[in-house]
Amino acid sequence: CSHVILEDCSILRNNGYGIVHVVQTNVIFLGRTIVRNNNARAIFLSNARAVVFGRMTIHANTGVTGSAISLEQKSRFDASKAHLLDITNNSRVSRSSAVFADELSSSSTYEDILHNANMRASTNACPFQF
């Protein structure tokens, strides 16, 4: 299985369909990752898997569905308790403020992200949608 490793990166002020757009592969975030002030979904996964090792901040992004993380087609997003996932101040145009997961992406979505990661979430009115 192929994979991409992103280490200690900042992804700032971009426009597009998905700022980190991953299809049919794995992406591994190592160290400190900042995804901020983007005018699109911050992380879009389609039949893919993302794993966080370190600290990830997803802040002030605007998307149509899932401004921070959008999971489609059996995608997974994994972070363990030893790592920090900080999702704050994201907004959306239509569905789900922070995290959107379609019905096929059930293995590591809301409950796993919320309960397995050391996570701080914003006070978005509806941060998760399935």
Side-chain angles (χ1 to χ4, degrees):
C1 184
S2 64
H3 61 271
V4 174
I5 298 173
L6 299 174
E7 185 171 4
D8 295 324
C9 61
S10 294
I11 303 165
L12 311 170
R13 296 177 297 280
N14 295 286
N15 294 304
Y17 184 65
I19 303 309
V20 177
H21 190 103
V22 183
V23 178
Q24 295 181 343
T25 194
N26 298 322
V27 62
I28 301 167
F29 296 97
L30 298 175
R32 180 78 170 105
T33 303
I34 300 171
V35 184
R36 185 177 64 217
N37 297 326
N38 295 290
N39 189 20
R41 293 182 269 198
I43 299 171
F44 173 79
L45 303 175
S46 179
N47 196 23
R49 182 177 181 200
V51 181
V52 176
F53 294 104
R55 180 175 180 165
M56 174 178 274
T57 299
I58 304 173
H59 176 75
N61 298 286
T62 302
V64 176
T65 56
S67 58
I69 301 169
S70 184
L71 305 171
E72 298 183 4
Q73 299 296 316
K74 299 182 182 178
S75 294
R76 294 175 56 122
F77 191 94
D78 298 321
S80 72
K81 288 182 181 179
H83 307 285
L84 178 63
L85 180 60
D86 189 3
I87 301 175
T88 57
N89 200 30
N90 295 282
S91 61
R92 78 340 188 172
V93 175
S94 64
R95 300 184 300 180
S96 179
S97 294
V99 177
F100 171 82
D102 72 7
E103 65 277 359
L104 298 175
S105 299
S106 60
S107 54
S108 285
T109 56
Y110 168 69
E111 290 181 2
D112 288 333
I113 292 171
L114 185 62
H115 297 293
N116 291 339
N118 179 11
M119 179 176 154
R120 292 187 306 172
S122 68
T123 57
N124 294 330
C126 179
F128 297 96
Q129 178 167 338
F130 301 94

